[in-house]
Amino acid sequence: MDVINLSTLDVSIIIFVINFLLAAVVVFIERRDIGSTWAWLMILFFIPIVGFIVYLFLGRQLKQKNFYNLSSEERSYLLSAVDEQIHQLQDNRFFHNDLLSKHSDLLLMNVKSSNALLTLDNKIEIFTDGHEKFCSLFEDIRKAKEEIHLQYYIIQRDSLADKLRDELTKKAKEGVKVRLLYDEIGSRRISPAFFKEMITYGGEVEAFFPSFLKLVNFRINNRNHRKLCIIDRKIAYIGGFNIGNEYLGLDKKFGYWRDTHLKVQGEAVSQIQGRFLLDWNYAAKNKMSFEPYSYQVGKHDGKSPVQIIGSGPNTVTEHIKNMYIKLIMSAKRTLYIQSPYFVPDASFMDACKIALLSGVDVRIMIPSKGDSAVVYWATWAYAGELLDYGAKIYLYEKGFIHAKTIVVDEEVASVGTANIDTRSFRLNFEVNAVIYDEKVAKNLYDLFLQDCQDSSELTMDRYKERSLGIKLKEAITRLLSPIL
């Protein structure tokens, strides 16, 4: 047998060719943001071979055409409702009040971009405390008569998860159909075996993007970050709370957990159900039929107009980011933002700067301590840049703030799962509710002001006092921000 001896030069040439071909894929085949492209090129050329392995797990993009494998009939049905509402909006047949008319361009963009139908008759309840949110959720689960659908990014292996499992098992025993979808990486300590008894009574549990033999996951960078619960097609929950004791403020590292979650009743429940249905049918062997859910109206006597915006790596357009930017550009007086991670791209930063230069009172609240050092220092870099334009930056001191909210002029707001970073804009599956209701927006506005009492302000003088080491961390993390 001949033995092939490769010299150091030969190995170097092979590595160079591999990196060159992979770089060609990144630049010419995959349609990426320019900042993300350059970041990946740096990784490929400065850490060859290792960079290739990192790319396999973190860099590959999802297919975008018909990701959910909808049939032609299903696509036709969904698009027909969208087309009908587009015509109604364009003909001014859908504007029941001045607020909807004022934001007609935002409404139309969300329908065209994300197929986010506007619903008018919703009742909204806001939760900021984990104990209150889960008390309400468990009470509604106990009252369920037909079905319970849950979807969470993180389900911890702790007492709160035990309680959820026990409550769901009771309902499954009663004949209620229970379906639970969790993210494989976010809920890495959970498996269907944790819900074994519930499953024996007819409950179903599925993982989104499961790992191969629990060891290898080539979709580790594309997480399903949505947190939803739909009960009997009448009540839905959407927002930032996952399932875990830390969300009750029981983790010593984080302390009190400040989040924002919504309980929704009305026609928007069907739209939230639709998001769950798509993800469930992608992940599950036992598919749900579209028909019973597509025609479900779920009317209520609420007064809040709502759109449900979904976004993910399966779409070319960054729906939620565009919605955020459109909200920012609509602000005339105030723009209040809360996010645990503030690592925006250039377009989002430009929108904030334009608002500031236009005289809008822009206030941004971020944690005083982060759960990720890399993202935390990048957050400081971007927040600090906006200080030059007159933004007010608040550092939440009471515990950890995990809320993802934007409130504009005390009249329209967004609450959901999407942070202000590249991960939420491009890499994760996210979902947000946009509420066109002055009462709800005013409540969120007042909650922001209350949180300011538990925060310190990051002034320009304070920002300039940071050490050389912190400045270096900011510079490095900002450079990597397109792929964080």
Side-chain angles (χ1 to χ4, degrees):
M1 177 182 288
D2 294 333
V3 178
I4 300 176
N5 295 312
L6 297 177
S7 66
T8 302
L9 178 60
D10 293 332
V11 172
S12 298
I13 293 174
I14 292 173
I15 292 174
F16 174 80
V17 171
I18 291 174
N19 277 342
F20 179 83
L21 293 174
L22 189 55
V25 170
V26 172
V27 174
F28 297 110
I29 297 179
E30 296 194 342
R31 298 178 60 184
R32 295 179 177 273
D33 168 77
I34 296 300
S36 177
T37 297
W38 278 110
W40 277 115
L41 288 176
M42 287 176 57
I43 290 175
L44 293 175
F45 282 110
F46 282 100
I47 47 173
I49 301 301
V50 174
F52 174 79
I53 296 173
V54 170
Y55 177 82
L56 287 178
F57 283 90
L58 303 182
R60 297 185 307 146
Q61 293 184 310
L62 295 181
K63 69 172 185 176
Q64 295 169 339
K65 186 175 181 181
N66 199 18
F67 173 81
Y68 286 109
N69 295 316
L70 296 176
S71 67
S72 58
E73 292 80 9
E74 290 167 339
R75 289 200 304 273
S76 176
Y77 172 81
L78 294 174
L79 291 177
S80 65
V82 171
D83 290 340
E84 173 61 23
Q85 189 161 106
I86 288 174
H87 291 311
Q88 290 176 329
L89 290 169
Q90 290 174 334
D91 295 340
N92 294 321
R93 286 184 281 147
F94 222 80
F95 303 135
H96 294 248
N97 58 53
D98 293 338
L99 187 58
L100 291 178
S101 180
K102 180 178 179 180
H103 294 281
S104 60
D105 51 349
L106 173 62
L107 288 166
L108 187 59
M109 184 197 77
N110 289 336
V111 177
K112 285 185 174 181
S113 175
S114 184
N115 298 333
L117 297 178
L118 175 65
T119 59
L120 299 172
D121 64 343
N122 303 287
K123 178 182 177 182
I124 305 293
E125 187 175 353
I126 301 170
F127 295 100
T128 61
D129 178 84
H131 292 276
E132 294 176 356
K133 182 262 180 176
F134 288 109
C135 181
S136 177
L137 175 63
F138 288 138
E139 182 179 354
D140 287 330
I141 286 175
R142 295 184 194 109
K143 294 178 180 177
K145 301 298 183 183
E146 298 178 13
E147 61 184 19
I148 301 169
H149 295 156
L150 301 101
Q151 177 175 0
Y152 283 97
Y153 172 58
I154 294 175
I155 302 177
Q156 301 286 21
R157 194 73 177 264
D158 57 25
S159 59
L160 183 62
D162 290 343
K163 184 175 182 179
L164 175 67
R165 176 195 58 194
D166 294 344
E167 294 289 352
L168 295 177
T169 301
K170 291 177 184 177
K171 301 310 295 185
K173 288 181 179 179
E174 294 173 11
V176 174
K177 185 60 183 180
V178 179
R179 297 181 177 93
L180 186 146
L181 179 64
Y182 64 89
D183 184 80
E184 171 82 356
I185 302 301
S187 304
R188 52 189 172 275
R189 297 179 61 197
I190 289 293
S191 70
F194 181 72
F195 299 93
K196 182 179 179 180
E197 186 178 5
M198 185 189 84
I199 293 172
T200 63
Y201 288 98
E204 296 182 53
V205 179
E206 297 288 350
F208 198 88
F209 284 160
S211 302
F212 177 69
L213 298 178
K214 281 287 185 180
L215 296 174
V216 180
N217 194 317
F218 286 105
R219 291 304 177 196
I220 193 172
N221 209 34
N222 299 123
R223 309 316 328 146
N224 198 313
H225 198 238
R226 294 167 180 154
K227 299 101 176 168
L228 304 173
C229 179
I230 307 98
I231 300 171
D232 288 344
R233 311 179 206 173
K234 296 177 181 178
I235 297 172
Y237 288 81
I238 178 174
F241 282 108
N242 288 292
I243 303 295
N245 285 340
E246 65 264 39
Y247 303 98
L248 299 175
L250 301 179
D251 189 298
K252 293 181 179 179
K253 175 184 176 182
F254 296 112
Y256 180 73
W257 192 277
R258 166 65 175 89
D259 219 318
T260 303
H261 217 91
L262 303 179
K263 177 178 176 180
V264 182
Q265 298 176 75
E267 288 185 301
V269 174
S270 296
Q271 301 303 308
I272 297 172
Q273 174 85 298
R275 297 312 321 175
F276 174 86
L277 189 151
L278 289 172
D279 287 345
W280 176 266
N281 282 355
Y282 180 86
K285 295 179 181 178
N286 296 327
K287 311 297 182 184
M288 293 167 58
S289 170
F290 265 83
E291 188 169 332
Y293 303 97
S294 300
Y295 292 95
Q296 180 68 29
V297 177
K299 286 189 176 295
H300 195 268
D301 59 358
K303 305 297 183 183
S304 298
V306 172
Q307 285 180 298
I308 303 301
I309 317 296
S311 191
N314 60 305
T315 62
V316 175
T317 303
E318 297 165 14
H319 303 305
I320 291 180
K321 186 194 79 171
N322 289 347
M323 178 269 290
Y324 279 165
I325 291 175
K326 190 69 173 177
L327 270 177
I328 293 169
M329 299 305 293
S330 71
K332 297 294 186 291
R333 302 185 307 276
T334 58
L335 171 65
Y336 288 3
I337 298 173
Q338 290 177 313
S339 179
Y341 317 116
F342 189 79
V343 192
D345 64 5
S347 61
F348 191 99
M349 285 291 284
D350 286 343
C352 289
K353 292 173 183 177
I354 291 170
L356 286 161
L357 292 171
S358 302
V360 177
D361 177 13
V362 178
R363 305 187 185 192
I364 300 170
M365 188 174 292
I366 57 177
S368 64
K369 57 180 180 180
D371 61 344
S372 168
V374 175
V375 179
Y376 178 71
W377 293 119
T379 293
W380 265 64
Y382 285 98
E385 182 179 338
L386 291 180
L387 288 173
D388 278 331
Y389 289 81
K392 294 182 179 179
I393 308 298
Y394 294 91
L395 307 177
Y396 188 75
E397 304 282 0
K398 185 177 179 179
F400 185 73
I401 188 161
H402 192 248
K404 304 99 165 51
T405 65
I406 294 182
V407 187
V408 171
D409 293 341
E410 302 176 54
E411 59 186 28
V412 61
S414 170
V415 175
T417 68
N419 298 304
I420 303 195
D421 59 10
T422 298
R423 174 158 297 282
S424 283
F425 292 165
R426 302 192 190 109
L427 301 177
N428 286 345
F429 294 86
E430 307 281 2
V431 62
N432 276 44
V434 182
I435 309 106
Y436 304 86
D437 186 303
E438 291 169 322
K439 183 179 179 181
V440 174
K442 183 63 165 61
N443 287 340
L444 292 166
Y445 174 92
D446 290 340
L447 285 168
F448 186 101
L449 294 180
Q450 291 176 25
D451 292 331
C452 287
Q453 304 302 312
D454 296 312
S455 305
S456 62
E457 187 172 352
L458 179 62
T459 63
M460 180 57 74
D461 289 341
R462 181 179 175 184
Y463 186 67
K464 289 180 178 179
E465 290 176 356
R466 67 200 194 284
S467 67
L468 179 61
I470 292 176
K471 292 179 181 178
L472 182 61
K473 291 176 183 177
E474 286 184 13
I476 294 173
T477 54
R478 180 160 185 159
L479 190 64
L480 296 174
S481 62
I483 58 173
L484 286 179

